[in-house]
Amino acid sequence: MKPPPFGYASPGTLGEALDALAAAPGAKVLAGGQSLIPLLNMRLAAPPALVDINRVAELDTLHVGDQGVRVGALARHARVERSAEAAAVQPLLGRALRHVAHPVIRNRGTVVGSLAHADPAAEMPAVLAVLGGTVEAASARGRRTIPAAAFFRGPLESALEPGELAVSAFFPAAPPRTGTAFAETARRHGDYALSGVAAVVGLDEDLRVASARAGFLGIAPTPLVLDLTGAAGPRGDWAAAAAHVRERIDPEPDIHAGAAYRRHLTGVLAERALASAAAEALRRAED
């Protein structure tokens, strides 16, 4: 398969990139291209132009601070996955990234590109959603910060407007006495998951469960986040939380799995991930 004809721009600065996007309404941004190029080749996307940002060095950033991890638009999956500094501040990032496709793809694909692609079966949207992160968008009109809860609007549909470029994403730091875990099941390693769960559990000073949240991928049109604090209770009844998950979700069947199997699998993964996150929270609290 070959892509339809398109224009091409290779700006050297962010300003030039925003000008190129403004000049070609409907243009797509090319960073890693691991999702976009297949869509073009299958002619599922036909933008009038590609704006290749790979020469915009100011977007190739990874900033780690006490408040969290800010990932620039050109930071590759592999760079973030291997960052010990990022793992120390928000360990869920690296854990989820290890499930993203294969190393060859992670060497080229970008975290922000995955978010902008807004595939509900991808790992990064669920992680951003469960952590309550944000995406910073820039255009010739200015900049704005978009909360994760408002960023994902539907399958392959984000809140980015024509002419906007997602320049970075921010993943908040893990608070004290908090643990995270990620679990997913795919038909083959590297495939899109049949279902996946990103879990975050926080403990209070008496080591009781103060908060329990889970972000799900592969079971809804957008990343689904459920607050499971009440279902789990202060002692962390993760089987009860998993039962609550199964009651709340309504997965669609496809050629790979039926709805009933996906519902059961999601509950199993949720119980496993929540228990693992709680165990990590306890270890951190006792250190």
Side-chain angles (χ1 to χ4, degrees), residues 15-37:
E16 292 174 0
L18 299 181
D19 289 343
L21 285 171
K28 290 285 189 180
V29 175
L30 177 64
Q34 300 304 292
S35 298
L36 176 59
I37 297 302

Side-chain angles (χ1 to χ4, degrees), residues 82-96:
R82 296 167 185 165
S83 170
E85 292 81 8
V89 171
Q90 182 44 264
L92 183 59
L93 256 178
R95 287 172 181 156

Side-chain angles (χ1 to χ4, degrees), residues 208-268:
R208 296 174 301 189
V209 174
S211 64
R213 286 163 51 87
F216 299 90
L217 54 131
I219 61 166
T222 59
L224 174 67
V225 176
L226 294 179
D227 186 340
L228 302 168
T229 310
R235 295 181 181 274
D237 186 341
W238 306 122
H244 182 74
V245 168
R246 292 190 181 99
E247 293 173 358
R248 291 287 305 277
I249 63 175
D250 186 23
E252 291 281 342
D254 62 19
I255 60 173
H256 303 301
Y261 175 74
R262 264 203 170 85
R263 180 179 292 104
H264 173 76
L265 174 63
T266 303
V268 171

Side-chain angles (χ1 to χ4, degrees), residues 10-135:
S10 181
T13 68
L14 176 58
E16 292 174 0
L18 299 181
D19 289 343
L21 285 171
K28 290 285 189 180
V29 175
L30 177 64
Q34 300 304 292
S35 298
L36 176 59
I37 297 302
L39 286 181
L40 292 173
N41 287 340
M42 290 186 286
R43 302 208 171 198
L44 296 175
L50 295 185
V51 177
D52 184 344
I53 61 172
N54 280 284
R55 291 199 307 123
V56 184
E58 61 199 280
L59 297 177
D60 190 7
T61 57
L62 176 61
H63 295 302
V64 181
D66 293 340
Q67 299 302 309
V69 180
R70 183 170 293 281
V71 182
L74 274 181
R76 313 293 175 184
H77 289 307
R79 178 183 177 187
V80 182
E81 175 191 356
R82 296 167 185 165
S83 170
E85 292 81 8
V89 171
Q90 182 44 264
L92 183 59
L93 256 178
R95 287 172 181 156
L97 281 166
R98 287 193 282 274
H99 292 269
V100 175
H102 303 283
V104 171
I105 290 175
R106 297 201 293 273
N107 284 339
R108 189 64 185 169
T110 63
V111 170
V112 175
S114 177
L115 297 172
H117 188 59
D119 191 324
E123 290 80 2
M124 286 300 97
V127 170
L128 188 80
V130 76
L131 293 178
T134 58
V135 174

